[in-house]
Amino acid sequence: MTEKRTTLDRRAGTASKSVSARVLALVASGRANSRAELCSVLGMAPSSISMAVAGLVRSGALTEAGEGDSTGGRRPRILSLGGQSNYVACADLGGHHLRVGIMSADGKLEASKTLPFDIGSGPEACLATLGIAFDQLITDRPGRTLMGLGISLPGPVNVEGGFVDSPSRMPGWHRFPFRDALAERFETTTVVENDANAMAVGEYSAQPNKHRQMIVVKAGTAIGSGLIIDGQIYQGANGAAGDITHARTPAAGSYPCSCGNRGCLETIASGAAVARMLGERGTTINDSSDIVALVEDAHPEATALVRDSGRHLGSVMSAIVNFFNPSAVLLGGTFSTLEPFVASFRSQLYEGCHPLVTKHLVIGTSLLGADSGLAGAGRLALHAAFDTYSH
């Protein structure tokens, strides 16, 4: 009888930990911020949710304060991540830079910096650079606990396998075990994700009024998009959902793309394409920041090409917006800071979408700016850490 009771107690404890992990993950992702919302999302009895929340509040993993909007009854108490002693380290890789930071367990970025890095130098060089940067960030936080690592990569990512799969401009990265190498180096839970998906997660977490159906478009040296469906990132069957880079468009003609095909959106709408076209006109461009500087200085050719870029991107995205019917489309990346680009993108969506689709559609720009991908990588790392949480 004693042995049977012990087995039942163990099962109850495991179930409790599972509920706690799910509660933490939902609060971390922004999908729920009250006991009532947790009950609705998880489909569980209020007593079970209250028990899990009470335990997490006692442990300091959650805090409960303030009051949210009432739906007819008592105003709900707002749940948020608690504790400053635990943290995750995160990184957002671009074509020519590497941004690293620290996110505390309450979901706030408390430190970030940008380092020069060429993604074409390969994964081993990236591991070395990341290792040095993370070592310094960890050393600067004595007495605190590293919960995990989150990395966003500018290519198609196999999240389950932890590697980049068939990238077009990342020599040496194909199926390199990047996640496992980092996890072994730092002996902690590690997640990797596509940069546009990480940006979408970061932007979703920052929304004051959550758009549970949302598209976040990254427009910089390369282009891509992340889809938020019912408050969660949608990765697709093989992790390639939202990859609009190589969508075929008549406007691109037969220009060859880095993927080996012709007529891809990337060849006319990306920062790399604008840089190429400016170079053909005699203006040397080192990276997308040079294009931004030219447009801000009212350079006529750069401004015209950036405006065309926004129009081409908007034309392709209008078909996706018509199909998906989101409540918001947000622009991020370098080009999202340029009004000619944003204006032509927005105009093309209104022209190319059904009026019912755009009737209440929010078309805006990133709330987090350069930190959106970093914040998303941090949130994903927290989510993974909380999935293994026990108390």
Side-chain angles (χ1 to χ4, degrees), residues 73-357:
R74 188 173 60 181
R75 292 164 69 88
R77 301 270 283 171
I78 300 301
L79 295 169
S80 59
L81 299 178
Q84 295 292 326
S85 61
N86 297 341
Y87 67 92
V88 295
C90 43
D92 178 29
L93 277 70
H96 302 286
H97 75 277
L98 170 61
R99 191 163 175 80
V100 296
I102 292 293
M103 177 174 281
S104 54
D106 59 2
K108 296 177 182 176
L109 277 175
E110 61 180 54
S112 63
K113 63 180 178 179
T114 301
L115 306 171
F117 181 76
D118 182 0
I119 200 72
S121 61
E124 290 92 347
C126 184
L127 284 172
T129 302
L130 263 183
I132 294 171
F134 281 162
D135 280 340
Q136 185 60 58
L137 289 170
I138 293 168
T139 300
D140 290 343
R141 287 158 179 80
R144 298 178 63 184
T145 302
L146 175 69
M147 300 170 66
L149 304 176
I151 317 294
S152 82
L153 299 170
V157 173
N158 182 311
V159 174
E160 184 176 345
F163 51 76
V164 178
D165 197 341
S166 306
S168 58
R169 271 191 249 173
M170 298 170 67
W173 284 84
H174 175 60
R175 299 185 73 85
F176 180 89
F178 194 76
R179 180 198 60 199
D180 293 346
L182 270 178
E184 182 179 358
R185 165 77 164 75
F186 288 94
E187 298 182 338
T188 190
T189 301
T190 302
V191 295
V192 295
E193 180 57 275
N194 167 263
D195 56 353
N197 284 350
M199 179 179 287
V201 171
E203 288 297 327
Y204 179 76
S205 69
Q207 294 293 310
N209 299 310
K210 301 298 184 187
H211 294 284
R212 295 180 61 79
Q213 324 299 332
M214 182 172 74
I215 302 176
V216 177
V217 183
K218 181 177 182 179
T221 301
I223 53 178
S225 68
L227 308 178
I228 297 293
I229 298 179
D230 287 338
Q232 298 187 79
I233 190 68
Y234 178 72
Q235 296 163 329
N238 300 307
D243 189 357
I244 58 173
T245 308
H246 304 293
R248 301 291 293 275
T249 173
S254 60
Y255 195 90
C257 179
S258 59
C259 72
N261 286 328
R262 295 176 181 273
C264 295
L265 178 64
E266 176 183 293
T267 65
I268 55 171
S270 66
V274 173
R276 183 197 75 237
M277 289 183 277
L278 284 171
E280 292 169 351
R281 292 162 170 77
T283 301
T284 302
I285 299 295
N286 295 314
D287 55 39
S288 294
S289 63
D290 290 342
I291 300 173
V292 171
L294 287 175
V295 174
E296 290 178 342
D297 199 33
H299 186 285
E301 288 185 329
T303 301
L305 288 172
V306 163
R307 185 177 288 113
D308 289 344
S309 174
R311 186 175 70 256
H312 295 316
L313 180 60
S315 178
V316 170
M317 284 302 303
S318 64
I320 298 170
V321 171
N322 268 326
F323 177 79
F324 180 36
N325 186 203
S327 60
V329 176
L330 299 184
L331 281 171
T334 309
F335 278 11
S336 70
T337 63
L338 300 175
E339 184 55 31
F341 177 86
V342 176
S344 61
F345 176 83
R346 180 183 286 114
S347 175
Q348 194 62 46
L349 282 190
Y350 281 119
E351 180 180 330
C353 293
H354 190 282
L356 185 61
V357 172

